[in-house]
Structure formats: C-alpha cells, structure tokens
Amino acid sequence: MTSLRISLGYELEVRGRSREVEQQAFHNVIDQVVLGDRLGFDTAWFVEHHFTRGFSHSSAPDLVLAAASQRTERIHLGLGVVLLPFQSPIRTAERVATLDVISGGRVEFGTGRGASPLEYQAFRKPFEKSRQIWEDSLEATLAIWRADGEPISRSNEFFEIPDVAVYPRPAQVPHPPVWVASTSLEGYLAAAKHGYNLLGMTMLKGIDDVAEDIAAYRQCLADNGFDPDSRRVALMIPWFVAETREQAFETAADPVLWYIRRQVNLVTPPDYYDARHATHRVLGQLAAGMPPEEAMATLREHHMVVVDDVEGSRKAAARIAEAGATDLILQAQVGGLAHEHVCESMRLFMAEVAK
C-alpha cells in the first residue's frame, strides 16, 4: 500500500482534427472523473492552456470541473492551474468561488503564471513581469475572499479593484486550499515563502533532481515559520499500468511519446531561449531523436513517465514518496490513449498499486 494520495491530472489532449474527436475527448474525461470518484481518487486536476491545438484543449477548466461536480460526490476538483496573469483577480475570485459553492466545497485552487510566451503575447502581458503579475494577482484574489463580502480596493499597473464587494463567497472558509505550480527551484522557493502547497512534475528534470528541489522547498517552509509536514507536494506524471510490462509498452508508448513531443514543441516554442527551460528542450530531443524503446527506457529510468506492470508501478510509487511527495497525480489520459485503456489502467492502479 502506498502512502501517497492518488489523483488524476488532465491536459485534455485531442489527437485528431475533427470536431467529433474533440467533443468526445471532453465526454471521455468527465466519464473518467466519475469513475475516479467511485474508485477513490483524491482529486481531479485540470490544467489551463490556450492556443495549443492537440496538446491541450483545456482552456476553461472551471467549466469542465463544474460539469464533473454534478456527477460526482466526493472527489476534489483541482484547478491545476488558474493562469492568474491573464484575467482580473475579480473574475478569478468569482469563478473559483462559484465552483466551490456548486461542488459543496471541493475545490483545490492551483495557481501559476504559465510558461508559454505565445499566451503572454496573445493576452498582451509582459512575460518578463510574469512573476510579479502572478504574485500581485494571487494576493488580490485571496484578499477578496478574506474580505468575506466586504468592499476591497487594489490598484496597480495590470488590474484595478475599485472598492467593490465580490460574490459569491467560497464554501470553504476563508477560501479553498492554495497550490502553486512550478518546474523550477525558484518557483518552489517562492511557494514555500508563502506556505503554499506545491504542484510539480518529473518530466523536465527527473526524479533525483526533483527530490533535491522538494527538500529545498521543505527547508524553506521551515525557515519561514511553516510546518513542512503540514504542506502537500504533488507530482504529476504520465502513468500507464497493465498486467505485463510488454502490454503496457505496446499500449501506451506511442501516446506517451506523442504527448512529450507536443509538450516540448508547443509549451516551449523552438525559438524561445529562456535558460530555465533548457532541460525541456533536451527532453524534446530525447523523445524525438531516439527509437521508441530507447527513449521510453530513459524516460522510465528517471521516472519522467511510468509505463509498467503492477510491480514496476509499485516501485515507482515508492520512489515518488521517497522523493518527498505526498500526492501522486496520474496523467492516465495522455496522448490520445483510448478511453477503455485509460479506465482499465485506473482500475488496476487503485486495485493493485494503491491498495
């Protein structure tokens, strides 16, 4: 039995250009969240991305989660994450609080600044100021909720809150749990300084380097007066489990490698030279340049992805916990993997790996 809380994570990839394929993808993921609710998954997390055909059609995750909330009873609903720089804190507070109310207080509020220059260009926000915009927007959103329906004012270069009361108030008091998503040590430490929970991934660095960053995050929590044991660390990993390793590879290797190529090419464009994403580009070269068997072996060795049998998945989950994670977010639906295979993997994981 693993000590990790097990959740689901969705980019909402669409592998195909037809409207029918796109629409079916939405129905499939909601059905998977309903199944996850019955199987005992802790949270269903949905990302927010824009303008990335194929890789992620999850541009309005709060609406997908609102639909799922009406067909589920206990699974938490994770916004992983709301890209705060792209809208007013007023709208963020209103929409997240509405989701919390209609779901009976099941929202997990993940926040982030985004990593795609294309998104910043389209929304006309300066990428070089993304961290400051995110910090100011998060402070303002939390201030709105803590005001408990009383008027509040904020004014800066990027938004105005002109002494208004914002409704509805969230069901959770004073607000849903706050998470920060990051792939860098800098981001981990920024989250720790404020005592926020952490959303990470192993795809860029591999589990050994991520473990070092988690240790630094927990030390920073302590240095800033927070109890490290009271904060959660979730790692999101593409994961497929089958009865045999051969079956797992045959079923999921192609979807996983397709997903990784899209991740690299669309989230970090080839002409973008931010040094913080250097390993991102190395991984893209790895996935694109090696034969599938060799690429998957390297990715699995570093727990960037897990495509394995039950025993291999148990060992991988143990390594994730050893690295300091409290939560494991399975990207069970990845790269256009067939709906029936996703559901089979979910069932097998909860029956044989998690228990």
Side-chain angles (χ1 to χ4, degrees):
M1 176 183 292
T2 180
S3 61
L4 297 166
R5 301 188 198 189
I6 309 301
S7 296
L8 296 167
Y10 291 96
E11 298 274 10
L12 227 170
E13 305 99 316
V14 174
R15 195 169 179 179
R17 297 192 176 212
S18 73
R19 292 176 182 268
E20 291 75 18
V21 170
E22 182 179 46
Q23 292 165 18
Q24 189 59 52
F26 281 82
H27 295 302
N28 287 348
V29 298
I30 292 175
D31 286 346
Q32 290 162 23
V33 174
V34 172
L35 175 62
D37 187 50
R38 295 202 303 266
L39 292 175
F41 283 88
D42 185 83
T43 303
W45 292 93
F46 280 77
V47 308
E48 178 188 339
H49 282 303
H50 303 273
F51 323 119
T52 52
R53 181 177 55 79
F55 168 65
S56 176
H57 289 231
S58 185
S59 55
D62 56 333
L63 295 182
V64 179
L65 290 170
S69 76
Q70 301 307 292
R71 295 181 55 193
T72 56
E73 296 180 357
R74 42 137 242 104
I75 194 168
H76 286 215
L77 307 172
L79 292 158
V81 297
V82 180
L83 297 178
L84 297 180
F86 302 152
Q87 65 179 357
S88 164
I90 294 173
R91 294 299 287 143
T92 298
E94 290 172 336
R95 295 179 72 91
V96 175
T98 298
L99 179 59
D100 203 43
V101 168
I102 66 174
S103 67
R106 288 188 278 150
V107 169
E108 302 285 333
F109 178 48
T111 77
R113 57 194 179 107
S116 170
L118 175 60
E119 292 176 338
Y120 276 84
Q121 292 166 7
F123 286 110
R124 303 202 171 189
K125 302 291 184 180
F127 188 79
E128 65 274 10
K129 295 184 178 181
S130 61
R131 183 172 296 280
Q132 186 61 52
I133 303 172
W134 166 72
E135 290 179 349
D136 291 345
S137 297
L138 179 54
E139 186 280 329
T141 302
L142 298 182
I144 289 171
W145 288 332
R146 289 168 180 153
D148 197 27
E150 294 298 318
I152 183 172
S153 298
R154 289 290 188 279
S155 178
N156 70 22
E157 180 182 358
F158 298 103
F159 59 82
E160 296 282 338
I161 306 176
D163 195 34
V164 292
V166 179
Y167 299 101
R169 292 167 290 182
Q172 299 177 78
V173 179
H175 53 71
V178 180
W179 299 71
V180 172
S182 182
T183 59
S184 69
L185 177 58
E186 178 188 12
Y188 280 34
L189 299 182
K193 289 174 183 177
H194 295 281
Y196 298 139
N197 301 302
L198 184 64
L199 290 167
M201 62 195 326
T202 60
M203 190 181 298
L204 308 188
K205 292 186 174 184
I207 191 60
D208 292 341
D209 286 349
V210 169
E212 293 181 4
D213 289 352
I214 292 174
Y217 162 80
R218 294 201 179 280
Q219 183 60 53
C220 189
L221 282 170
D223 292 344
N224 285 274
F226 300 104
D227 178 6
D229 293 334
S230 68
R231 299 307 191 265
R232 292 164 64 183
V233 176
L235 295 180
M236 186 158 127
I237 304 174
W239 201 299
F240 184 81
V241 58
E243 294 291 349
T244 68
R245 181 172 294 181
E246 292 74 21
Q247 181 185 350
F249 186 88
E250 180 179 350
T251 304
D254 176 74
V256 165
L257 290 175
W258 180 91
Y259 165 76
I260 288 172
R261 294 184 185 109
R262 303 297 290 183
Q263 167 83 272
V264 171
N265 292 333
L266 290 174
V267 174
T268 305
D271 59 348
Y272 182 55
Y273 294 106
D274 187 330
R276 289 171 295 178
H277 296 278
T279 51
H280 213 159
R281 188 167 286 101
V282 169
L283 181 56
Q285 294 167 350
L286 167 74
M290 289 183 177
E293 294 84 357
E294 187 177 353
M296 287 299 299
T298 302
L299 293 168
R300 291 192 300 186
E301 177 187 357
H302 297 286
H303 295 85
M304 294 172 169
V305 304
V306 177
V307 178
D308 218 323
D309 57 16
V310 169
E311 184 58 30
S313 289
R314 287 173 178 162
K315 291 178 180 178
R319 179 67 185 103
I320 299 303
E322 182 184 81
T326 60
D327 295 60
L328 170 60
I329 304 175
L330 302 186
Q331 280 184 269
Q333 172 63 70
V334 62
L337 188 62
H339 176 61
E340 60 270 22
H341 293 318
V342 175
C343 295
E344 290 167 2
S345 179
M346 289 169 58
R347 292 189 184 98
L348 185 59
F349 190 99
M350 295 305 280
E352 301 294 336
V353 180
K355 302 300 183 184

